[in-house]
Amino acid sequence: PAAVLQSNFDVALTKRVDFELDYSLILANQASGGLTHHATATLEIDLTRRLDLDVSFIWDRITNPQADASGAAPEADDFRLNLSLGVKF
């Protein structure tokens, strides 16, 4: 069994810039990894009428990462930075 908690925050900083923050927490037993966190912070920028730029910072954490067959366990934290450019038709 597991329990999931989620939250979302979205605000327009300016007429052309929005900020969105998403967070989720999964509560599970230790064999399943324990607490698992996932957070995404995104700036959505309207560069022009047809061109958008999104910059996202993503954080994932598992409190009890499981080792593979060779005994090597992955890092508990994972960080990513995503850049995306969108064109509206």
Side-chain angles (χ1 to χ4, degrees), residues 8-36:
N8 176 279
F9 176 72
D10 193 354
V11 64
L13 299 176
T14 68
K15 185 177 178 181
R16 297 172 57 169
V17 179
D18 293 336
F19 175 74
E20 185 173 352
L21 180 63
D22 295 313
Y23 175 78
S24 65
L25 171 68
I26 301 173
L27 304 155
N29 62 23
Q30 290 292 11
S32 298
L35 295 175
T36 301

Side-chain angles (χ1 to χ4, degrees), residues 5-85:
L5 302 169
Q6 294 180 320
S7 67
N8 176 279
F9 176 72
D10 193 354
V11 64
L13 299 176
T14 68
K15 185 177 178 181
R16 297 172 57 169
V17 179
D18 293 336
F19 175 74
E20 185 173 352
L21 180 63
D22 295 313
Y23 175 78
S24 65
L25 171 68
I26 301 173
L27 304 155
N29 62 23
Q30 290 292 11
S32 298
L35 295 175
T36 301
H37 305 268
H38 175 78
T40 304
T42 303
L43 276 177
E44 300 169 348
I45 305 163
D46 294 333
L47 297 175
T48 66
R49 197 176 79 202
R50 295 187 182 261
L51 198 58
D52 294 337
L53 173 69
D54 291 352
V55 180
S56 298
F57 178 76
I58 302 165
W59 171 62
D60 289 308
R61 176 173 175 78
I62 188 164
T63 56
N64 189 25
Q66 300 297 311
D68 62 11
S70 66
E75 294 289 326
D77 291 297
D78 184 34
F79 301 99
R80 295 185 305 272
L81 180 67
N82 292 343
L83 300 173
S84 65
L85 190 61

